[in-house]
Amino acid sequence: MKIRTRLSIQYILITIGIYSLSMLFVYRQFKKHKEDQFYEALESNARVTAEMVLLNEEELQTVKSGKADLSSAATIVNTSIYNNEYRRIFTLDSLYPIASNKILKSIPADQPQVFSNGDYQGIGLEFISARKNKYYVLSEGKLNYIPLIKLRNILLIGTLLTLIAVALGAWFISDQSMRPIVRINKEINEILPADLSRRLKVHASPDEFSVLVKTFNLLLDRIETAFNSEKSYISNVSHELKNPLTAIQSQIQYALNKDRKSDEYKKILTSVREDTADLSNTVEKLLQLARINSIASPDKMETFRLDELIYDVQDSFTRSFPEFHLELNITDLPPEEEGMEVFGNYSLLKSSCINLLENAGKFSNDHASKWTIDFKDPGGIKMEIQNNGNPIKADDQDKIFRPFYRSQSNIKIKGSGIGLSLVKTIMDLHHIDIKLQSDEINGTRFIFIFPIKKNTQV
């Protein structure tokens, strides 16, 4: 069922329900008012008749009952008087049925009693004459329901007309309410992958649909950014992989052109091995960058000791890069194990540390770097990786964390431009900020602080 139809039906049901309850209340109140008027008139008639008839109580035996004209019996009111032996001693209309003893016995002494006698409704009361004799005075008649029937018919017709008006109004209102959705759907269908720069029109009225459109436009911004990043990623990946593959292929073709001396073959194979190693390193970083989000899911996070990670990184780094020199300094190691625990993904943090150390050694003039860990920093566990290479220009400091970015001043140094972007992505997933400081005196320093476990685990 469409939303427009569902809204219309709900609106109709709610409105008609409220209207019907209101009309039912009006009908019942009018009926009660008519009945109260009817019984008040009967009681008044009974008391007046009793006062007049019982003035000459001793002559009741000789008074003949009058006969009423029954041509309009629906409006005729008859009054009868019964003695304490439940015999009718007076009536205005002898054609009215005699009240049963059950009705007479049910009349209390202190208040009037409403009763039904066949097709008639009446009210009875106990009356004490001047001679202290007890009598039962009954005034009865037929309640005129014709006004109630007319009112009921009017209300039913009014309800039907209201139902029609409400149905038309509900359809109009739902149509007006759903027009923005129809417009939004049309605009969304016109957005194609070939042009993700298009956005939905935001209207000036600050309603929920405007908020929805703004939210959807923000989503399109993120999608466009991701799409452009993906295109850039694919372009850069193809470039990074194509160059070493072309170099390897060219060297192999050069070696196969003619027979060469063993020294020439060794030189060519050594160059191919270096290009293959660079290619393998690039592919490994690309794979890490591609699968990082799945690896960093919350169920892959754990609590571990940071000192274990530090020594593991040191061992792996020295074995993978024996040409680099690493100086490790750990200060103020806490005596309690809890002071060294952090929460995160062990393998990702290890990879980010190795990439930072590799970057520091690669761009250092003496291929040396310094790694300092301070456990007493008030903000958490502070890490600092420093080298003595040429300082990074201010214009490049905001760009070096972008994927595949290479500074022109270091273009001759082998690299893919992936390492630092991988580090930044991993640190962002762990909500760790990286600070970069680079100058002529202190060299280049990457500083980041690990929150302790209780602040990291959310």
Side-chain angles (χ1 to χ4, degrees):
M1 182 183 294
K2 292 185 177 181
I3 295 178
R4 178 186 300 173
T5 305
R6 185 166 65 248
L7 287 176
S8 299
I9 293 175
Q10 291 175 349
Y11 183 80
I12 291 171
L13 292 177
I14 292 174
T15 305
I16 291 300
I18 296 174
Y19 181 82
S20 298
L21 290 176
S22 301
M23 295 302 99
L24 180 61
F25 175 78
V26 170
Y27 177 80
R28 292 181 65 88
Q29 288 298 111
F30 185 77
K31 180 181 178 181
K32 183 177 182 300
H33 176 70
K34 291 290 294 182
E35 290 176 346
D36 290 343
Q37 279 188 326
F38 176 72
Y39 288 116
E40 287 176 2
L42 290 181
E43 181 180 358
S44 176
N45 186 71
R47 293 187 182 278
V48 171
T49 302
E51 291 286 350
M52 294 179 61
V53 171
L54 294 177
L55 284 176
N56 300 314
E57 182 180 358
E58 68 282 355
E59 299 179 2
L60 280 178
Q61 274 62 10
T62 61
V63 175
K64 294 182 180 181
S65 299
K67 293 183 180 181
D69 182 7
L70 297 179
S71 60
S72 57
T75 60
I76 293 176
V77 174
N78 178 57
T79 302
S80 302
I81 300 176
Y82 296 79
N83 59 18
N84 57 359
E85 296 178 355
Y86 309 127
R87 289 192 299 180
R88 186 166 65 179
I89 60 174
F90 175 83
T91 181
L92 294 177
D93 188 352
S94 60
L95 297 179
Y96 270 77
I98 298 175
S100 64
N101 292 348
K102 182 179 179 181
I103 294 176
L104 298 174
K105 290 179 179 180
S106 65
I107 298 175
D110 54 346
Q111 62 182 4
Q113 174 68 33
V114 175
F115 66 90
S116 295
N117 188 17
D119 295 333
Y120 302 96
Q121 296 80 38
I123 190 167
L125 54 89
E126 184 180 294
F127 190 87
I128 306 299
S129 67
R131 297 185 177 185
K132 306 301 181 182
N133 293 322
K134 183 168 67 175
Y135 296 93
Y136 299 99
V137 184
L138 276 61
S139 185
E140 54 189 323
K142 287 186 177 181
L143 181 60
N144 184 11
Y145 284 104
I146 294 178
L148 284 174
I149 295 173
K150 291 181 179 180
L151 177 62
R152 181 196 62 190
N153 295 336
I154 292 172
L155 294 179
L156 290 176
I157 295 173
T159 302
L160 179 61
L161 295 176
T162 302
L163 176 61
I164 296 173
V166 168
L168 295 175
W171 186 258
F172 175 77
I173 292 174
S174 61
D175 180 70
Q176 293 295 316
S177 300
M178 297 308 298
R179 279 189 179 181
I181 295 294
V182 175
R183 175 181 57 81
I184 292 172
N185 285 336
K186 182 179 179 181
E187 293 180 7
I188 291 175
N189 289 328
E190 293 175 353
I191 299 176
L192 301 176
D195 184 13
L196 291 176
S197 62
R198 297 188 60 176
R199 296 294 181 267
L200 303 182
K201 295 180 182 178
V202 181
H203 287 256
S205 57
D207 54 15
E208 288 78 1
F209 290 113
S210 297
V211 175
L212 175 63
V213 169
K214 292 178 182 178
T215 303
F216 190 81
N217 284 339
L218 291 176
L219 175 62
L220 287 177
D221 291 339
R222 295 193 292 269
I223 293 175
E224 183 183 15
T225 301
F227 191 78
N228 292 335
S229 299
E230 188 72 16
K231 289 195 297 184
S232 175
Y233 177 81
I234 294 174
S235 175
N236 288 314
V237 165
S238 62
H239 175 75
E240 293 295 332
L241 296 180
K242 185 178 180 179
N243 286 346
L245 287 173
T246 302
I248 293 171
Q249 186 178 16
S250 299
Q251 293 176 87
I252 294 175
Q253 186 64 40
Y254 175 78
L256 293 175
N257 282 341
K258 63 178 182 178
D259 294 335
R260 303 181 185 280
K261 296 179 181 180
S262 60
D263 289 342
E264 289 183 279
Y265 281 121
K266 287 182 180 179
K267 185 177 180 181
I268 293 173
L269 290 174
T270 300
S271 178
V272 170
R273 183 184 64 183
E274 291 176 355
D275 289 337
T276 304
D278 291 340
L279 179 61
S280 176
N281 185 41
T282 301
V283 170
E284 177 61 27
K285 289 181 179 179
L286 288 173
L287 291 175
Q288 289 181 7
L289 194 61
R291 66 187 181 187
I292 189 171
N293 288 323
S294 61
I295 296 177
S297 59
D299 59 334
K300 300 292 180 64
M301 299 285 187
E302 61 182 354
T303 300
F304 59 89
R305 288 179 50 162
L306 190 59
D307 59 332
E308 295 178 356
L309 173 67
I310 294 169
Y311 294 123
D312 190 8
V313 169
Q314 182 187 30
D315 181 64
S316 298
F317 179 75
T318 52
R319 284 190 287 105
S320 301
F321 304 96
E323 70 275 17
F324 295 161
H325 175 70
L326 173 63
E327 179 185 346
L328 175 63
N329 295 314
I330 301 177
T331 60
D332 297 317
L333 194 66
E336 304 84 6
E337 181 178 348
E338 291 78 6
M340 295 180 286
E341 289 183 343
V342 294
F343 183 78
N345 186 284
Y346 186 93
S347 62
L348 288 180
L349 291 174
K350 178 181 175 181
S351 175
S352 65
C353 291
I354 291 177
N355 275 284
L356 280 173
L357 293 173
E358 177 191 357
N359 185 80
K362 184 189 300 183
F363 292 97
S364 177
N365 296 329
D366 54 0
H367 297 300
S369 58
K370 184 178 180 181
W371 190 13
T372 304
I373 298 95
D374 184 6
F375 282 89
K376 289 297 184 181
D377 191 275
I381 303 173
K382 181 180 179 182
M383 279 193 180
E384 180 178 316
I385 296 177
Q386 177 184 9
N387 71 357
N388 296 316
N390 296 327
I392 302 174
K393 296 180 180 179
D395 294 339
D396 291 334
Q397 290 185 15
D398 296 332
K399 303 175 182 177
I400 60 173
F401 291 108
R402 297 178 183 176
F404 306 104
Y405 178 78
R406 299 292 308 280
S407 174
Q408 293 299 319
S409 59
N410 296 319
I411 198 68
K412 295 182 179 180
I413 300 177
K414 286 187 177 181
S416 60
I418 304 174
L420 288 180
S421 67
L422 182 64
V423 170
K424 183 67 166 59
T425 303
I426 293 173
M427 292 304 175
D428 287 344
L429 288 171
H430 288 79
H431 306 288
I432 298 174
D433 292 330
I434 302 178
K435 295 181 180 179
L436 172 60
Q437 298 178 359
S438 186
D439 54 56
E440 293 283 354
I441 300 175
N442 298 313
T444 300
R445 292 185 297 167
F446 291 91
I447 304 170
F448 47 96
I449 297 178
F450 284 90
I452 57 177
K453 175 186 173 183
K454 64 181 181 181
N455 294 330
T456 306
Q457 188 173 7
V458 180

